[in-house]
Amino acid sequence: MEIKRIAAFSQGTAGGNPAGVVLLDAAAPAEDMARVAAEVGYSETVFAVAQDAAKSRWRARYFSPESEVPFCGHATIALGAVLGETVGAGTYQLALNEAEISVEATPSPDGMMATLSSPPTRSRSLKDAELREVMALFGLTSEDLDPRLAPAHIHAGADHAVLPLKDRARLAAMDYDLNEGRAVMRAHGLVKVMLVHIEGDQSFVVRNAFASGGVLEDPATGAAAAAFAGYLRDSGWPHGGQFTIRQGEDMGSPSEIHVALEETKGASVRVSGRARTIA
């Protein structure tokens, strides 16, 4: 397999979340894809097989070093960039395990831009046990939470928990045990836990724990960004149809995610970012 290494949601020539991208001539066994993803070692590697002669439709599957995940935003942005470079600019339809989405590739002076249209979104309050165990994992108390936005279970192709924190320094101090995090996230069916600090109505700083996939933290997370957008919409947040997420700052890999959304609850949202090739 030829593996392309792409940093998605990068800021120019720096930052971003590394993803492996593999374009296959034919479908590969799941165990082979899992092995390759573990060898690559990035938080996710995406494997895609063209479904038509024009290469406009693709079957895509995502693997972390420890498990298959139903949807990964940054790997989709990376895939879009690779398709834009190898097939050409345009919109590509992607069939995932549980959803149908698209990704658009657009050249820019600073490299390839990609925009994914997410699976449908939904959100609900965290159950008492979910909230208690997730907060304990990070050593958080109710005093750490921002009262403007409640903790929630959020979804856009994958399930996440989100905890809004009122103090930026508390976000910067995020720490947890990887094995304990894996147990908590898998017990509650969570792919990631998103800690967020609200800078303004359209500006957020985020950290995402990914112990369920064997990764302590992601520097940029498009799937959680899409799910968070759906939650803001469900909550009546004044997002103005778009907002920006900064992520990876506290781990030395600054990343920027742009999100656009309409008011229809549950509708797909658009998540955009730059992509750069990792030398």
Side-chain angles (χ1 to χ4, degrees):
M1 297 181 184
E2 180 183 359
I3 303 162
K4 295 185 182 295
R5 291 168 168 82
I6 306 292
F9 301 116
S10 59
Q11 293 187 359
T13 59
N17 193 358
V21 178
V22 181
L23 302 184
L24 298 167
D25 294 327
E31 55 268 26
D32 289 353
M33 293 186 282
R35 174 183 53 78
V36 170
E39 292 172 354
V40 171
Y42 292 154
S43 58
E44 273 106 358
T45 295
V46 57
F47 300 83
V49 184
Q51 302 296 289
D52 60 4
K55 296 185 176 180
S56 62
R57 302 185 62 85
W58 294 75
R59 173 71 169 99
R61 295 177 69 176
Y62 308 90
F63 287 80
S64 79
E66 292 189 2
S67 61
E68 184 172 8
V69 296
F71 171 56
C72 172
H74 85 274
T76 302
I77 294 295
L79 173 60
V82 170
L83 292 175
E85 291 169 351
T86 58
V87 182
T91 300
Y92 297 90
Q93 304 301 316
L94 306 179
L96 313 185
N97 285 357
E98 301 173 7
E100 298 272 345
I101 66 169
S102 66
V103 64
E104 180 182 358
T106 308
S108 79
D110 298 322
M112 194 67 67
M113 288 282 299
T115 300
L116 67 85
S117 295
S118 78
T121 70
R122 63 177 183 267
S123 65
R124 60 167 173 80
S125 299
L126 284 173
K127 298 175 183 177
D128 289 344
E130 291 173 328
L131 179 59
R132 182 176 62 252
E133 292 182 25
V134 170
M135 288 185 64
L137 175 65
F138 297 97
L140 297 171
T141 71
S142 59
E143 292 299 312
D144 294 312
L145 300 178
D146 192 323
R148 292 175 291 176
L149 194 64
H153 182 287
I154 59 177
H155 178 94
D159 292 305
H160 314 276
V162 58
L163 301 178
L165 304 181
K166 62 185 177 184
D167 186 7
R168 176 68 179 88
R170 191 67 183 87
L171 177 68
M174 184 190 87
D175 187 35
Y176 73 99
D177 179 81
L178 181 65
N179 290 327
E180 183 182 352
R182 181 189 292 109
V184 169
M185 292 182 202
R186 291 184 177 179
H188 295 292
L190 301 171
V191 175
K192 295 174 185 176
V193 175
M194 180 183 199
L195 304 184
V196 56
H197 174 67
I198 303 168
E199 282 194 330
D201 291 344
Q202 296 175 301
S203 179
F204 305 88
V205 185
V206 164
R207 301 187 74 173
N208 268 284
F210 186 26
S212 70
V215 177
L216 192 68
E217 181 178 2
D218 254 355
T221 315
F228 183 60
Y231 176 49
L232 291 180
R233 178 170 55 199
D234 293 345
S235 302
W237 187 267
H239 51 73
Q242 61 183 0
F243 62 88
T244 300
I245 287 175
R246 299 200 324 274
Q247 192 176 333
E249 294 177 344
D250 297 304
M251 56 187 301
S253 186
S255 306
E256 191 167 280
I257 303 171
H258 300 278
V259 184
L261 64 159
E262 60 180 70
E263 286 296 342
T264 304
K265 287 190 175 183
S268 172
V269 305
R270 290 172 60 81
V271 180
S272 303
R274 299 189 183 279
R276 63 178 179 87
T277 300
I278 299 173

